[in-house]
Amino acid sequence: MLRFLPFVVELALLVYCLVDCVQSDGDRVRNLSKGWWLVLIVVLPIAGGVAWLVAGRPQTPRRAVPWPSTATSGFPEHERPRRYADPTDDDRRRAEERRSDALHEQMLRDWEAQLRAREQVTESPEGTPEPRDGA
């Protein structure tokens, strides 16, 4: 089992260095271009991996957010500029919301009234339901 340890370490170093090189920003890679580093890591697995970690890897850590233009918590929609809002637009929007709410309330009252009327029609005076056409 111990004889496989150097092979496992070499493979782990190769995979780690390849993934790190592929994911790193090409503009921040040091000394060689990103493509040459990939070739070096694959052709010389141990020496190329160590060289990548020592001389090629970017020194500064990656930013915590995936959008380079922002330093917020990762929600770029919070940084979008808002267009100028006219104060009368708010009044119009509120009035429209009140009209819409009143319309919905009236529709609900009508619907409840229709349901009550149907319930009264289907129940007989004794409290038992009347037979319907389809039943």
Side-chain angles (χ1 to χ4, degrees):
M1 191 69 148
L2 224 50
R3 62 182 166 177
F4 295 118
L5 186 62
F7 176 72
V8 172
V9 170
E10 178 184 346
L11 185 64
L13 180 68
L14 173 73
V15 170
Y16 176 77
C17 290
L18 279 175
V19 170
D20 191 38
C21 184
V22 167
Q23 287 183 348
S24 64
D25 189 15
D27 295 337
R28 296 177 49 223
V29 172
R30 298 182 293 154
N31 298 326
L32 293 175
S33 68
K34 192 172 174 178
W36 283 111
W37 277 115
L38 289 171
V39 169
L40 187 66
I41 292 169
V42 171
V43 171
L44 303 170
I46 295 177
V50 171
W52 163 255
L53 293 174
V54 172
R57 192 169 192 218
Q59 287 182 334
T60 57
R62 284 184 233 141
R63 296 178 71 166
V65 294
W67 298 276
S69 65
T70 182
T72 61
S73 61
F75 298 99
E77 60 269 13
H78 296 300
E79 290 192 353
R80 291 189 185 131
R82 299 174 189 241
R83 65 182 182 144
Y84 174 71
D86 187 18
T88 58
D89 288 344
D90 288 338
D91 295 338
R92 279 189 235 130
R93 183 180 47 82
R94 287 189 194 116
E96 181 63 33
E97 286 176 357
R98 282 194 294 272
R99 279 193 296 271
S100 176
D101 289 346
L103 177 65
H104 285 117
E105 290 294 327
Q106 183 60 39
M107 288 172 57
L108 286 173
R109 283 193 291 273
D110 293 343
W111 188 32
E112 287 175 352
Q114 290 173 1
L115 286 175
R116 283 193 201 106
R118 286 184 201 160
E119 288 174 355
Q120 289 175 356
V121 169
T122 58
E123 290 183 3
S124 65
E126 295 88 33
T128 60
E130 294 181 358
R132 296 185 187 151
D133 295 313

